[in-house]
């Protein structure tokens, strides 16, 4: 895989929920080769380590990044101004395999919701399930509704949509779909994988791991998987082998 750092011009910076920012960045050369589920590695000020951010959407000229402020680095990034040029390595990682003719259920939890939007645009009228802690963190609902009539919203406390978890909805809809794609906390992905296994449905999961280099040179994002010869367990780099794996490959 080629690792190419280039400048992206920031065309939009909007806070779409408390502490969650929506960037649109212009760079036709790299935007047009971006695939669903890949990520961008963004240089932040004078920080040594870049920040990995899932690609929310892309077209032939622009990529869209939606991220949550979780520390000093993302706080600095959130203050970028329209017209600024950001140093970004992308697209990175192996993304989702969205095939024509299949009915997908796309599931996102928290900040794992944004990368599912690109999948929703590519898939054919998918079932979309999004989960958040509360109403203040709900994002991208109108965006998903551009691509499908089936968008389900759940919150832990019931302040928006239905009260409950994404797995509650999945159990009701899984017999209607061919495959499930999901991104979010590991505990959520494990529960989804178990439901899919029980029902005999294929499942792809995108892992959220802390990253250092973003290109497989360090060991920060190492994750135990069954990707060795004959399905043997080994540690793989989420940034390089993933972030998307078949659910049965992940040792939860």
């Amino acid at each position: 895989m080629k690792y190419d750092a280039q400048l992206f011009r920031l065309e939009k910076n909007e806070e779409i929920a408390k502490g969650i920012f929506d960037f649109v960045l212009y760079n036709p050369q790299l935007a047009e080769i971006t695939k669903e589920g890949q990520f961008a590695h963004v240089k932040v000020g004078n920080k040594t380590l870049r920040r990995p951010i899932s690609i929310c959407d892309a077209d032939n000229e622009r990529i869209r990044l939606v991220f949550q402020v979780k520390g000093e680095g993302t706080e600095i990034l959130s203050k970028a101004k329209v017209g600024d040029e950001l140093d970004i390595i992308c697209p990175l990682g192996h993304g989702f395999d969205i095939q024509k003719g299949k009915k997908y259920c796309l599931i996102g939890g928290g900040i794992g919701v944004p990368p599912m939007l690109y999948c929703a645009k590519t898939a054919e009228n998918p079932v979309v399930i999004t989960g958040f802690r509360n109403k203040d963190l709900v994002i991208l609902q109108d965006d998903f509704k551009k691509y499908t009539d089936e968008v389900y919203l759940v919150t832990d406390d019931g302040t928006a949509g239905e009260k409950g978890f994404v797995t509650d909805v999945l159990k009701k809809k899984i017999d209607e779909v061919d495959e499930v794609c999901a991104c979010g906390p590991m505990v959520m992905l494990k529960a989804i994988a178990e439901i899919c296994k029980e029902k005999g449905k294929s499942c792809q999961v995108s892992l959220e791991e802390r990253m250092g280099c973003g290109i497989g040179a360090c060991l920060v994002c190492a994750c135990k998987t069954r990707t060795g010869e004959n399905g043997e367990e080994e540690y793989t780099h989420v940034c390089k082998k993933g972030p998307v794996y078949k659910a049965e490959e992940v040792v939860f």
Side-chain angles (χ1 to χ4, degrees):
M1 180 179 292
K2 182 181 180 181
Y3 302 109
D4 200 354
Q6 292 190 17
L7 296 178
F8 284 68
R9 186 175 71 248
L10 183 62
E11 295 187 339
K12 172 187 173 183
N13 176 0
E14 179 184 357
E15 187 172 12
I16 57 175
K18 184 176 177 58
I20 300 177
F21 290 81
D22 185 354
F23 278 16
V24 174
L25 297 132
Y26 180 82
N27 181 312
Q29 183 177 348
L30 296 184
E32 68 177 358
I33 62 172
T34 299
K35 304 297 183 183
E36 306 90 335
Q38 293 185 299
F39 68 95
H41 220 203
V42 185
K43 184 172 176 57
V44 179
N46 60 359
K47 297 293 182 182
T48 301
L49 296 179
R50 294 172 180 263
R51 270 37 180 192
I53 301 175
S54 296
I55 295 170
C56 175
D57 196 5
D59 57 25
N60 289 333
E61 296 185 331
R62 297 166 179 83
I63 64 169
R64 184 180 181 186
L65 305 179
V66 174
F67 66 94
Q68 185 173 27
V69 172
K70 290 189 174 181
E72 186 179 357
T74 45
E75 176 69 28
I76 293 170
L77 184 61
S78 72
K79 292 179 169 56
K81 307 295 185 185
V82 170
D84 286 352
E85 291 189 322
L86 303 184
D87 184 320
I88 298 176
I89 303 175
C90 91
L92 293 174
H94 288 87
F96 290 102
D97 180 17
I98 304 296
Q99 300 177 9
K100 292 187 179 298
K102 279 189 174 183
K103 178 75 171 180
Y104 285 91
C105 179
L106 308 176
I107 306 175
I111 205 61
V113 168
M116 307 317 297
L117 181 62
Y118 198 176
C119 295
K121 184 170 74 171
T122 306
E124 300 171 10
N125 196 34
V127 174
V128 173
I129 308 171
T130 61
F132 303 90
R133 289 199 303 273
N134 56 58
K135 63 180 178 60
D136 296 329
L137 299 174
V138 174
I139 55 173
L140 302 177
Q141 298 302 292
D142 290 339
D143 295 83
F144 280 110
K145 290 173 183 176
K146 295 176 184 177
Y147 306 117
T148 179
D149 296 327
E150 287 197 85
V151 180
Y152 298 91
L153 169 64
V154 297
T155 50
D156 294 354
D157 62 2
T159 51
E162 296 293 325
K163 182 177 182 179
F165 303 104
V166 295
T167 47
D168 298 330
V169 182
L170 175 61
K171 290 174 183 177
K172 298 175 183 177
K173 305 299 294 184
I174 192 165
D175 290 332
E176 302 174 18
V177 303
D178 300 309
E179 188 165 0
V180 175
C181 296
C183 182
M186 189 68 82
V187 64
M188 183 195 89
L189 298 180
K190 180 181 180 181
I192 290 170
E194 289 173 349
I195 293 170
C196 290
K197 182 178 180 180
E198 180 182 337
K199 289 289 188 175
K201 301 289 185 177
S202 298
C203 180
Q204 302 175 53
V205 295
S206 180
L207 304 186
E208 296 180 336
E209 292 287 341
R210 293 182 63 87
M211 293 184 185
C213 69
I215 59 173
C218 71
L219 298 174
V220 172
C221 66
C223 176
K224 185 180 284 190
T225 59
R226 300 184 186 90
T227 52
E229 188 175 352
N230 299 319
E232 294 178 357
E233 293 184 5
E234 63 178 358
Y235 281 93
T236 59
H237 296 93
V238 171
C239 67
K240 192 171 184 179
K241 183 74 174 181
V244 178
Y245 295 84
K246 295 178 181 178
E248 63 268 23
E249 293 177 334
V250 180
V251 180
F252 289 102

